[in-house]
Amino acid sequence: MAKQLRLGLRRPTAHTRDSFILGASNADAVSAIDAWPRWPGGTLVLVGPEGVGKTHLARAWAAVAKAAILDRAAPDLAAAAGGPALLEDVDQGVDAEALFHLINLAAQDGASLLLTARLTPTAWPAELPDLRSRLNALMVAEIAAPDDEVLGGVLRKFFRERNIRPHDDVYPYLLRRMERSIPGAREIVRRLDETEDGQMRPVSRVLAREILEDGSENLDLFEG
């Protein structure tokens, strides 16, 4: 079997639009982000399950918009006044009064607010009646679970970050069998890279099968 020596280098992860993998599962959300600054009321909520790229897309927008990135534990209202602002994981808990004021600030000229969450705003707790009405009226853009186009793209990205060139047949093999999530893609690439003898073996379908077998009791070793 041919040997492949991989350099122990890592490319830094960058939250840029160029490195964001676009596909059908996130195209609507990207279009909504690109409509900035014409968001109704100045606020957009980016919603989706864990690991679908919300933070990547939000941080890429923040870099372009020169937005203030707010601390969820203590949002700085002054930093959000009169300009763009980003607040992530809002459904994980944020002061209700602060959120109410942030949404009001976003409606002012020159201001805007991007919120991210796993749940839609109608499911967020809201102790203030006025906040509930604001949340129910917010524009929402959803990112769905990644499709093959996105998963294939992120696999290639994660392999590049680790300076790995897998055999071409590794991609379709993994896409048919791996966990259908971006964290799942990152984990399988990590395991392929860090397998005990990974520095000497090429990343092939044989190695991918061994890694998947190790992580799943139901893997059919004789399939395709």
Side-chain angles (χ1 to χ4, degrees):
M1 179 180 295
K3 302 294 184 183
Q4 175 178 306
L5 181 63
R6 295 198 295 276
L7 298 176
L9 303 174
R10 297 289 184 271
R11 300 182 186 180
T13 300
H15 290 144
T16 65
R17 274 296 293 270
D18 288 344
S19 63
F20 185 80
I21 308 302
L22 181 63
S25 60
N26 56 37
D28 288 346
V30 170
S31 294
I33 289 284
D34 288 345
W36 176 81
R38 300 180 304 279
W39 297 338
T43 298
L44 174 69
V45 186
L46 191 59
V47 173
E50 181 181 5
V52 295
K54 297 188 301 296
T55 290
H56 188 143
L57 191 56
R59 294 299 177 107
W61 168 82
V64 171
K66 296 180 173 54
I69 299 177
L70 306 178
D71 181 355
R72 182 166 55 85
D76 185 349
L77 298 181
L86 167 63
L87 182 61
E88 295 200 77
D89 301 321
V90 179
D91 56 338
Q92 303 302 305
V94 64
D95 180 77
E97 187 171 349
L99 182 58
F100 176 75
H101 288 304
L102 285 171
I103 294 171
N104 286 341
L105 286 171
Q108 298 177 1
D109 288 344
S112 51
L113 178 64
L114 178 60
L115 306 172
T116 73
R118 298 180 190 177
L119 303 175
T120 59
T122 56
W124 301 352
E127 302 169 359
L128 304 175
D130 286 344
L131 175 59
R132 169 52 58 204
S133 65
R134 297 289 195 283
L135 295 180
N136 291 345
L138 293 179
M139 177 182 179
V140 176
E142 296 194 42
I143 302 182
D147 52 25
D148 276 2
E149 183 179 8
V150 172
L151 278 179
V154 297
L155 281 171
R156 287 176 169 80
K157 174 188 172 187
F158 295 149
F159 278 126
R160 284 196 304 271
E161 289 174 352
R162 290 176 176 266
N163 294 282
I164 299 172
R165 293 184 179 180
H167 294 176
D168 289 342
D169 60 354
V170 168
Y171 293 105
Y173 185 83
L174 289 177
L175 287 173
R176 290 196 299 270
R177 295 164 175 82
M178 63 181 284
E179 177 188 323
R180 307 291 298 179
S181 74
I182 293 176
R186 182 182 292 107
E187 175 64 11
I188 193 64
V189 171
R190 182 195 66 79
R191 291 174 64 197
L192 284 165
D193 186 30
E194 298 177 4
T195 188
E196 185 175 352
D197 59 347
Q199 293 297 318
M200 294 301 297
R201 297 177 62 187
V203 175
S204 64
R205 202 172 80 161
V206 172
L207 183 59
R209 175 179 292 186
E210 292 175 10
I211 293 296
L212 289 172
E213 178 187 16
D214 183 58
S216 175
E217 296 179 356
N218 298 319
L219 177 66
D220 181 0
L221 295 180
F222 301 99
E223 180 182 353

